[in-house]
Amino acid sequence: MKKLLSYFVIAFLTFGIGAIFWSAFSLGNSSYAFWKNGRETTAVVLSLDHVSGSAKGGNSYYYNLNVDGQKIIQSFRFKLSEGSTYKILFLDDKREAILGTSEDGLFEIYSAQIGSDFMAILTLLMFIFMPYGTYKMYSELWPKRHDLWRKEY
């Protein structure tokens, strides 16, 4: 049983660290794109298209927006007022938008993508802790690697 648990921990952290690196790269890359290439404009909320909810209570609200004469559907983690005008950063090539201005810093843009400052800080801490935790796990299991694959009686 101990051997099976060790295999599970190794597999979980190995695949988990790959997912963490992919997630950090993806979020960092899109935040940087909004920061460097995002065009500040205004968007008018035309209507709520639909709501996508999860079993744990996190909802995404999809709105029909009018951005410079273009109609797009964009998701937000919080409710917006229909008929209201909001300042957004817009990526023309991807047709994506987040709430914000060109004066916002990188953390504010990242926070707008995640949904709140609290969740942004938690994800950044996770991006720091998981690689460190994986390194510590491997550094402790590597000297014992031969014992993990020996047959138990």
Side-chain angles (χ1 to χ4, degrees):
M1 187 66 178
K2 180 181 174 187
K3 191 186 311 187
L4 181 62
L5 182 62
S6 297
Y7 290 145
F8 177 73
V9 168
I10 290 170
F12 178 76
L13 287 177
T14 301
F15 292 118
I17 197 68
I20 292 292
F21 283 139
W22 173 79
S23 177
F25 175 77
S26 175
L27 284 169
N29 192 27
S30 62
S31 295
Y32 184 77
F34 277 113
W35 187 51
K36 280 299 192 189
N37 304 321
R39 178 174 54 90
E40 182 178 341
T41 187
T42 58
V44 178
V45 179
L46 301 175
S47 64
L48 176 66
D49 190 66
H50 66 280
V51 178
S52 174
S54 71
K56 295 188 178 189
N59 292 331
S60 292
Y61 302 93
Y62 290 82
Y63 289 97
N64 291 309
L65 301 177
N66 184 352
V67 179
D68 299 333
Q70 301 178 44
K71 290 185 180 178
I72 65 169
I73 296 176
Q74 184 64 45
S75 68
F76 295 97
R77 303 228 183 245
F78 35 84
K79 292 182 180 181
L80 302 177
S81 299
E82 291 184 25
S84 297
T85 302
Y86 294 93
K87 288 186 178 185
I88 63 166
L89 289 173
F90 187 70
L91 291 176
D92 290 313
D93 56 339
K94 294 182 180 180
R95 294 179 48 101
E96 291 181 9
I98 61 167
L99 294 178
T101 66
S102 59
E103 300 297 319
D104 289 346
L106 194 55
F107 179 76
E108 291 160 323
I109 292 171
Y110 178 73
S111 175
Q113 282 187 293
I114 297 296
S116 69
D117 289 344
F118 178 72
M119 289 305 293
I121 290 170
L122 283 180
T123 57
L124 289 174
L125 289 174
M126 179 188 64
F127 292 149
I128 293 167
F129 171 74
M130 281 298 290
Y132 175 74
T134 303
Y135 165 75
K136 288 297 287 181
M137 188 267 316
Y138 278 124
S139 67
E140 289 179 13
L141 287 179
W142 186 254
K144 302 174 188 174
R145 67 187 178 278
H146 301 296
D147 295 336
L148 295 176
W149 280 270
R150 286 201 178 130
K151 192 172 187 178
E152 292 179 3
Y153 294 103

